[in-house]
Amino acid sequence: MKRIVIFASGSGSNAENIIKYFQKNKLAKVTLVLSNKSAANVLVRAKKLSVPSKTFNKSELINSDRIANILRNESPDLVVLAGFLLKFPKTILKDFPNKVINIHPALLPKYGGKGMYGMLVHESVVKNKESETGITIHYVNENYDEGTILFQKSFQLSENDTSESVANKIHELEYEFFPKVIEEILDKG
Ligand code: GAR
């Protein structure tokens, strides 16, 4: 069975959805959730679903081998960033070439880059009166939101859309497609 490790910083609704998807699927399972926020709700979700979790701080991620060692031990087939706020270190990327993916709540390269996270993305999309937005799943490289794009799904925005309605539509797309894209990658690998 293939092994998935999830990094998340916040609510973790995508993490929960991925965990549940692979609890019903023999191809893979989520073996560990890692978070840089000790109060993040993703940790509560992981516990409820009996998935082990660990927390760390930014300095441990960047200046120590702790996370690299945890990952080496875990030996994941895929590392999934699901709402992870920090830049993923290139020292760790080196150990997992083409094995780290991220989901972004916009059609990259639009609305990507440092600080473009969660609601801020949707607020910018609505403010700029974009005609469409969507989700992007991509390999992670050493720059924010710039790795090779694996999958995108878009939808049209209406005049009535607000950042909240866009966030809900984005989440629905993420729940539908993120586990499937993960499954496809693991199936091929
Ligand atoms: C998701 O919409 C994800 O695309 C976004 O954060 C949200 C996390 O929601 N990621 C980014 O903005 C990355 N730049 P969740 O914690 O409920 O899964």
Side-chain angles (χ1 to χ4, degrees):
M1 190 178 274
K2 307 255 170 129
R3 300 165 67 79
I4 301 166
V5 169
I6 296 179
F7 280 73
S9 302
S11 158
S13 67
N14 275 285
E16 175 171 343
N17 182 53
I18 295 163
I19 292 168
K20 285 181 171 163
Y21 185 90
F22 287 102
Q23 283 180 340
K24 294 191 213 117
N25 181 315
K26 293 216 159 38
L27 175 69
K29 72 170 184 175
V30 178
T31 60
L32 182 66
V33 169
L34 287 165
S35 181
N36 61 308
K37 298 266 183 206
S38 54
N41 198 44
V42 68
L43 299 167
V44 178
R45 295 185 196 259
K47 193 165 182 204
K48 273 196 193 141
L49 293 163
S50 306
V51 176
S53 62
K54 287 186 166 68
T55 59
F56 59 90
N57 61 37
K58 190 174 173 181
S59 163
E60 280 177 303
L61 180 68
I62 297 167
N63 303 321
S64 86
D65 289 337
R66 181 170 167 241
I67 300 303
N69 287 336
I70 288 172
L71 281 179
R72 268 184 220 124
N73 239 350
E74 203 61 34
S75 110
D77 298 282
L78 198 65
V79 174
V80 174
L81 311 189
F84 185 57
L85 258 177
L86 301 177
K87 193 162 183 180
F88 202 77
K90 56 179 174 198
T91 46
I92 303 183
L93 278 177
K94 219 170 45 194
D95 284 350
F96 297 95
N98 281 342
K99 283 192 178 173
V100 185
I101 65 168
N102 178 45
I103 191 156
H104 188 77
L107 297 171
L108 290 174
K110 282 186 155 187
Y111 301 99
K114 194 169 185 215
M116 270 296 175
Y117 177 81
M119 283 312 282
L120 184 64
V121 176
H122 311 314
E123 280 158 15
S124 311
V125 163
V126 170
K127 197 169 136 210
N128 292 341
K129 300 193 188 317
E130 293 286 349
S131 60
E132 60 167 17
T133 190
I135 62 170
T136 303
I137 298 167
H138 65 94
Y139 282 120
V140 172
N141 72 9
E142 64 226 53
N143 300 317
Y144 275 111
D145 302 325
E146 280 186 16
T148 307
I149 290 174
L150 289 157
F151 177 88
Q152 286 188 309
K153 189 85 185 173
S154 62
F155 62 93
Q156 297 297 310
L157 289 170
S158 81
E159 274 181 16
N160 300 330
D161 270 313
T162 62
S163 48
E164 282 78 21
S165 71
V166 173
N168 289 336
K169 289 176 193 178
I170 290 283
H171 264 130
E172 287 308 316
L173 286 182
E174 292 183 331
Y175 302 153
E176 182 177 354
F177 292 105
F178 204 9
K180 287 183 186 152
V181 172
I182 293 170
E183 185 176 15
E184 269 171 37
I185 296 169
L186 288 171
D187 213 18
K188 278 190 214 144

